[in-house]
Amino acid sequence: MDSDALLLSRIQFGFTITFHIIFPAITIGLASYLAVLEACWLRTRDTVYRDLYHFWLRIFAVNFGMGVVSGLVMAYQFGTHWSGFSRFAGSITGPLLAYEVLTAFFLEAGFLGVMLFGWSRVGPGLHFMSTVMVALGTLLSATWILASNSWMHTPAGYEIVDGRVVPTDWLAVIFNPSFPYRLVHMGIAAFLATALMVGASGAWHLLRGDRSPAVRKMFAMAMGMLVLVAPLQAVVGDLHGLNTLKHQPAKIAAMEGHWENEPGAGVPLTLFGIPDMENETTRYAVQVPRLGSLILTHSWDGQFAGLKSFPKEDRPNATIVFWTFRVMVGLGLLMIALGAWAAWARLRGKLYHSAALHRFALWMGPAGVIAILAGWYTTEIGRQPWVVYGLMRTADAATPHSTVDVGVTLAVFVVAYLLVFGAGISYVLRLIRIGPTPPAGHAPLSGGPGEPRQPMRPLSGASSTDGAAAPSREGA
């Protein structure tokens, strides 16, 4: 296959997964958040939780739909652009993706209608169970997808027969060496991305002077999640890094911009620099002596393999991986800082009155999604040149299309995705702009039996003007 066509195929898959991964991550976090909100509503009957539930339910529904659409496109690409991979490893990845549909997607689809439309049509227990089942379905979906992806990084439980992978132990396939770390790391990342989005929404309304109970509650809940989960993610990330060092040492060397060891000396931590793949060095490196050894080997003078230890054809692109990793870590540190600031403001009674904190939370709104993308690029580009680590190279996995064919489809994808998902994201931001507090003179966002309510269809909840809810067709 032409090298340009291969590069374009990789860019196209990377482009589509960049859009797709955003929506499942937010879906996972919002589904669990909705389950918590409904549980709080049932326990306390505080209408704040009810209003927040219905506010975020509409955003969840739009996000869920975009995730389904973008996921279908990705599934087809395995056949259209990566047929070599499908032939080689389809007996592993095919069943795992099928299990995701048969368990997670069917579970979500079975209860989603009740969750979206059943608030005043079914009992509170059944509706809450539906919300919990949808939340469970999102987590199951992530489990199967990450089992498949993790197997590609750390293959286990297989043998190769006639040039194809054959599963010999499904438990070993699913629970491969990197799967537990990757699952927990991604799950926490989804919760963090959602908490930052909810927190940014609350911060935006607080900065506009809206200190209604619903706005205060969702901002406090988001900051509380950040305080608890952001430091935990740092611990999980460290464990995941140690696992990666064991199974994919070339990726760690690229992430650290580490080329070779000095005999008897610890490995410095390179804070910043520009890895130069051609000259095998990291230019303009700013280093902290021995800190790399301390972090990755938990030893003052421990060493790990540098990139020069691997053949040039087996090295990932350190120039990219080095910086995507630092974007992820840097944003993670800012998340911890935001959580600590919010906790300090809470203790001082300033959580809802610190404009500087609210501006920081607002600017950090997209940080969770950006960190997920940076981490995903680090993981997948760091695996190169392998599509199945140590077993199949990416060049052997691609369908032999011409450069023109792949270039045309890539251009079509870019235009279509920017139009469709750009409109979807803009609509979600418009819903967030409305806020959870109904404008004066309008019906509340939702109600129970006998109460006025807006329709539960997400598109019926958009404001036609700033702060004015769209009229209900059901009342026309």
Side-chain angles (χ1 to χ4, degrees):
M1 184 180 184
D2 184 84
S3 60
D4 292 335
L6 174 62
L7 178 60
L8 289 175
S9 292
R10 291 178 58 194
I11 291 174
Q12 180 171 314
F13 194 80
F15 177 79
T16 54
I17 200 173
T18 294
F19 274 86
H20 174 65
I21 196 174
I22 295 172
F23 305 121
I26 299 300
T27 297
I28 291 169
L30 275 183
S32 296
Y33 182 49
L34 289 169
V36 171
L37 288 172
E38 188 165 8
C40 292
W41 153 249
L42 291 174
R43 183 175 63 86
T44 66
R45 293 295 173 176
D46 187 340
T47 57
V48 169
Y49 294 112
R50 182 201 64 189
D51 290 342
L52 282 175
Y53 178 90
H54 288 288
F55 171 64
W56 287 105
L57 180 63
R58 291 181 296 173
I59 296 168
F60 169 84
V62 177
N63 190 83
F64 183 89
M66 290 191 289
V68 171
V69 172
S70 59
L72 288 174
V73 173
M74 283 190 57
Y76 282 113
Q77 285 191 71
F78 284 116
T80 59
H81 285 71
W82 304 101
S83 56
F85 168 73
S86 297
R87 283 193 300 268
F88 178 73
S91 58
I92 297 285
T93 59
L96 291 177
L97 296 179
Y99 297 154
E100 189 250 346
V101 173
L102 291 173
T103 57
F105 188 74
F106 281 9
L107 185 64
E108 292 169 326
F111 287 97
L112 184 64
V114 178
M115 178 184 177
L116 291 176
F117 306 109
W119 182 264
S120 59
R121 296 177 176 85
V122 300
L126 177 57
H127 192 275
F128 176 61
M129 185 187 77
S130 299
T131 303
V132 172
M133 289 298 102
V134 171
L136 179 61
T138 63
L139 293 172
L140 275 175
S141 178
T143 299
W144 290 117
I145 295 299
L146 288 171
S148 176
N149 179 262
S150 298
W151 183 85
M152 294 164 65
H153 286 267
T154 52
Y158 70 94
E159 62 181 20
I160 297 179
V161 179
D162 296 329
R164 298 188 181 189
V165 172
V166 176
T168 59
D169 184 347
W170 275 108
L171 287 179
V173 168
I174 296 170
F175 297 99
N176 57 81
S178 66
F179 168 71
Y181 303 94
R182 206 176 303 275
L183 176 63
V184 176
H185 196 51
M186 184 61 197
I188 294 176
F191 291 143
L192 280 172
T194 304
L196 287 164
M197 184 178 75
V198 173
S201 174
W204 191 80
H205 289 287
L206 288 168
L207 286 169
R208 296 182 69 215
D210 182 358
R211 291 185 172 83
S212 62
V215 169
R216 290 160 62 104
K217 180 64 69 175
M218 72 177 179
F219 184 72
M221 293 179 75
M223 293 300 103
M225 173 62 77
L226 209 60
V227 169
L228 294 175
V229 176
L232 178 62
Q233 182 73 313
V235 176
V236 173
D238 177 64
L239 296 174
H240 189 15
L242 295 177
N243 177 266
T244 303
L245 177 61
K246 179 179 180 181
H247 296 281
Q248 294 177 303
K251 181 190 294 186
I252 291 294
M255 290 161 54
E256 297 299 325
H258 176 52
W259 293 93
E260 60 184 336
N261 293 312
E262 295 183 19
V267 179
L269 176 67
T270 303
L271 299 176
F272 303 104
I274 303 176
D276 185 337
M277 295 292 291
E278 182 177 351
N279 294 303
E280 300 182 330
T281 186
T282 299
R283 299 184 182 277
Y284 314 112
V286 178
Q287 298 179 327
V288 180
R290 298 184 180 272
L291 190 56
S293 294
L294 189 62
I295 293 174
L296 283 164
T297 70
H298 293 180
S299 168
W300 188 247
D301 56 359
Q303 294 186 341
F304 53 92
L307 279 172
K308 289 185 179 181
S309 303
F310 306 94
K312 287 189 175 182
E313 63 272 16
D314 291 345
R315 299 174 188 173
N317 191 321
T319 308
I320 298 176
V321 173
F322 180 87
W323 279 106
T324 55
F325 177 68
R326 274 148 186 78
V327 169
M328 179 186 67
V329 172
L331 289 174
L333 294 175
L334 288 177
M335 294 174 202
I336 294 174
L338 175 58
W341 189 353
W344 182 62
R346 178 89 182 200
L347 291 175
R348 296 175 63 245
K350 300 289 186 180
L351 183 62
Y352 310 116
H353 304 282
S354 174
L357 172 63
H358 301 158
R359 281 192 289 269
F360 186 24
L362 179 62
W363 282 104
M364 285 292 290
V369 171
I370 295 173
I372 287 175
L373 293 177
W376 197 258
Y377 295 154
T378 301
T379 295
E380 300 307 313
I381 297 174
R383 181 183 58 191
Q384 298 302 319
W386 306 99
V387 65
V388 181
Y389 196 77
L391 299 181
M392 186 182 204
R393 292 183 180 272
T394 305
D396 299 326
T399 303
H401 293 303
S402 69
T403 302
V404 174
D405 291 339
V406 183
V408 169
T409 59
L410 174 59
V412 171
F413 269 101
V414 170
V415 173
Y417 269 54
L418 292 180
L419 288 175
V420 174
F421 296 113
I425 293 171
S426 297
Y427 181 74
V428 167
L429 294 176
R430 191 178 181 185
L431 286 175
I432 291 176
R433 185 179 181 183
I434 297 172
T437 305
H442 290 266
L445 290 173
S446 60
E451 297 180 11
R453 64 184 182 89
Q454 287 182 342
M456 292 300 296
R457 297 186 301 273
L459 294 180
S460 302
S463 69
S464 53
T465 59
D466 288 346
S472 169
R473 294 181 183 177
E474 295 169 7

